Amino acid sequence: MSADASPAVPRFVAGPKKNLIGGAWVEAASGRRIEVLNPATGNALCSIAQGDAEDVDRAVAAARRAFEGEWRRWTPHERRKLLLKIHDLVLDHFDELALIETVDMGAPLARTNGLREWTSQVLQFFASHCDAARTETVPNSLPGQFLTLKHLEPVGVVGGIIPWNGPLIGLWWIFGPALATGCTAVLKPAEDASLSVLRITELMTEAGVPDGVINVVTGYGAEAGQALAEHNGVDRIAFTGSTGTARSVVRASAGNFKRLQLELGGKSPDIVFADADLDKAVPGAAMGVYTNSGQVCVAGTRILVQEAIYGEFVERLTAFTKTIRVGDGLDPETQLGPLISQRQLDRVLRYIGLGGGEGARLEAGGNRLGGALAAGFFVEPTVFAGASNDMTIAREEIFGPVASVIPFADADEALRLANDTPFGLAGGIWTESLSTAHLASRGIDAGTIWVNCYGVLDPAVGFGGTKASGYGWKGAREHVESFLYPKAVYLNLG
């Protein structure tokens, strides 16, 4: 495999990458490495350390030493200053970080550069919560003279396992609240996309994060990820990924009853009522499927459309889909980049084949792209009409740009179809009726609902799922406080 020597590839990408353990950049104990490919070209970028249980053990030990050391004596103000310094340094280097993310996992520069403001917002949000580990007095009804207090204390060492579809976003859900609350962390990024995490970690150490407070072990989920989930020195695990892998994480966490936060898959319904403004609903619902080439857990891939407008909606969605420009993320005209890997491309193409085989009507896309893009992992954005809720493409998470358009008669049927899924991550509603919007948003069993929009996210509000889409909340006060545990203190003043 030839190395990618494009002049657009950032200098950081060149050369082998190591793990960060206890403030030092070190090779994997085994000496093994993983080759990193540019998904747009299929060319090698560099290699990362293939960490395993031994590396995780060293990282957890370093995190424990840091947690029990000087870091515990840092004041909220000192942690806030550190997070704000990280904020400034990351923003100063954001052009480089966006470029690294694009060549590593394929997202267009328009998307990765667009995360600049969100990154600023999320870092400032966590900086504003550095006093979350607070103490409050609690009234009591005890006989005599008792003062009762409740402390919120940092849980300790937090393990984070994040996926490849947005590491530039995903790492902050671990490192942000850990630094805000006084925890320490060991992060295992996805082997397919670790480079932006490693570069940000360099910047965080440059900003003054003490040795061992943050640690990064790259490697495969079955080795490094499993070891982190099993480790008895880890007090809390935050996992984002597939439902199947989450079952392994839950089982592994039982050894020391770790606290868990799970953000898992989805097959989210996006409901278009007959009174919807189609000038907004068509592109909005389309990009609810296609954003990040469909590699988004909240993607609204089941588009439920009321029968009165079904034909028109499919026609307009098909026309819109055919205008989307797919290509190398480094091209400023690109709207959709490649899928992350050959493995993911094969998976998406298999589902597209199943859709046609089950009787859905292919209206747009459905093919791997060739020509100048043949070496990369590109697939056309795809529309299936005439789909039904019992088809495989409407039941299983594809994680690719594949829309299943399903008709419904009335609001009752729309909600029945929306909730006929094991998942409960997100949902969308397009309507001009406030009453319909309110009733439907209450009726969908999911953690996040968007009305006349899709996919927007504010860290101060946060998001989460229900049913097989996991539990726990990302963002908002609840997320920060999940890195803390309550401690009651009874003082007898008599």
Side-chain angles (χ1 to χ4, degrees):
M1 187 77 67
S2 59
D4 197 326
S6 166
V9 174
R11 184 169 53 193
F12 169 79
V13 171
K17 302 292 170 275
K18 300 179 180 180
N19 291 325
L20 179 70
I21 297 177
W25 291 97
V26 296
E27 294 285 1
S30 68
R32 295 179 297 168
R33 306 199 65 78
I34 299 171
E35 186 177 51
V36 177
L37 302 183
N38 181 338
T41 65
N43 291 334
L45 291 169
C46 61
S47 65
I48 58 174
Q50 186 178 333
D52 57 23
E54 185 174 350
D55 303 286
V56 167
D57 192 55
R58 293 159 58 199
V60 172
R64 180 63 60 188
R65 287 193 300 271
F67 178 70
E68 295 175 353
E70 184 65 28
W71 177 240
R72 293 203 75 162
R73 290 181 280 278
W74 277 50
T75 66
H77 177 60
E78 288 170 326
R79 295 198 305 274
R80 184 179 298 110
K81 283 174 57 179
L82 176 60
L83 274 163
L84 292 176
K85 188 173 181 180
I86 291 169
H87 168 276
D88 292 346
L89 202 54
V90 166
L91 270 289
D92 286 347
H93 289 81
F94 206 85
D95 288 343
E96 176 197 8
L97 294 170
L99 194 55
I100 291 170
E101 186 94 330
T102 291
V103 300
D104 193 22
M105 60 77 63
L109 277 172
R111 173 174 171 81
T112 57
N113 269 319
L115 296 173
R116 184 188 309 264
E117 182 57 33
W118 185 90
T119 301
S120 174
Q121 188 178 359
V122 77
L123 278 166
Q124 291 189 66
F125 170 77
F126 285 123
S128 73
H129 282 75
C130 286
D131 57 357
R134 62 188 183 274
T135 296
E136 60 183 26
T137 58
V138 182
N140 66 76
S141 301
L142 296 167
Q145 296 295 316
F146 283 87
L147 175 64
T148 43
L149 309 173
K150 184 174 76 172
H151 302 295
L152 290 180
E153 303 275 8
V155 298
V157 177
V158 176
I161 302 172
I162 63 172
W164 42 258
N165 62 327
L168 199 55
I169 297 173
L171 87 166
W172 297 121
W173 297 123
I174 309 298
F175 285 159
L179 294 179
T181 59
C183 292
T184 58
V186 179
L187 180 65
K188 208 295 285 184
E191 65 273 13
D192 289 317
S194 296
L195 298 184
S196 60
V197 171
L198 294 171
R199 179 61 180 128
I200 288 173
T201 306
E202 279 190 349
L203 295 173
M204 293 175 73
T205 59
E206 183 181 333
V209 176
D211 294 350
V213 170
I214 58 170
N215 305 269
V216 177
V217 177
T218 56
Y220 293 113
E223 296 178 342
Q226 185 74 10
L228 187 60
E230 290 176 347
H231 204 291
N232 284 335
V234 173
D235 302 297
R236 183 181 190 275
I237 281 284
F239 171 81
T240 300
S242 71
T243 303
T245 303
R247 292 189 176 95
S248 296
V249 171
V250 171
R251 287 191 293 268
S253 71
N256 66 336
F257 302 102
K258 295 177 184 64
R259 294 174 172 226
L260 291 177
Q261 176 185 356
L262 303 174
E263 186 211 330
L264 310 179
K267 196 66 184 177
S268 300
D270 200 2
I271 305 174
V272 184
F273 287 95
D275 67 340
D277 181 343
L278 293 189
D279 289 339
K280 296 177 181 177
V282 169
M287 296 315 294
V289 178
Y290 303 144
T291 292
N292 208 28
S293 299
Q295 300 169 126
V296 181
C297 55
V298 298
T301 52
R302 288 188 300 142
I303 306 179
L304 311 179
V305 181
Q306 198 155 16
E307 290 170 350
I309 59 166
Y310 186 84
E312 180 184 0
F313 183 91
V314 168
E315 182 179 344
R316 292 177 65 163
L317 175 65
T318 300
F320 177 87
T321 298
K322 290 178 178 179
T323 69
I324 294 174
R325 179 160 178 164
V326 182
D328 191 322
L330 296 175
D331 182 342
E333 300 299 315
T334 291
Q335 294 170 283
L336 296 188
L339 299 173
I340 187 67
S341 65
Q342 181 67 51
R343 180 181 67 254
Q344 188 64 18
L345 176 63
D346 291 343
R347 172 187 171 90
V348 172
L349 292 174
R350 179 176 66 82
Y351 275 108
I352 290 172
L354 287 172
E358 292 183 338
R361 187 173 69 252
L362 184 65
E363 298 284 348
N367 299 301
R368 179 176 186 173
L369 289 168
L373 301 178
F377 311 127
F378 294 94
V379 66
E380 295 173 316
T382 298
V383 175
F384 279 108
S388 62
N389 212 47
D390 59 354
M391 291 181 178
T392 303
I393 56 170
R395 303 298 301 175
E396 298 181 13
E397 185 176 37
I398 299 173
F399 230 57
V402 181
S404 299
V405 190
I406 301 169
F408 69 87
D410 54 27
D412 288 341
E413 185 181 19
L415 293 178
R416 181 182 62 78
L417 292 171
N419 292 329
D420 181 19
T421 173
F423 299 108
L425 192 56
I429 299 163
W430 299 88
T431 179
E432 295 294 284
S433 165
L434 179 60
S435 174
T436 299
H438 176 71
L439 293 174
S441 64
R442 293 299 301 271
I444 298 173
D445 297 333
T448 302
I449 306 296
W450 292 288
V451 179
N452 293 330
C453 60
Y454 204 91
V456 297
L457 174 64
D458 188 320
V461 178
F463 68 101
T466 186
K467 300 198 290 189
S469 290
Y471 43 80
W473 198 252
K474 280 187 173 179
R477 174 179 52 82
E478 295 95 325
H479 186 189
V480 179
E481 292 189 352
S482 70
F483 281 64
L484 304 165
Y485 74 93
K487 177 190 293 183
V489 178
Y490 294 79
L491 296 175
N492 187 347
L493 306 179

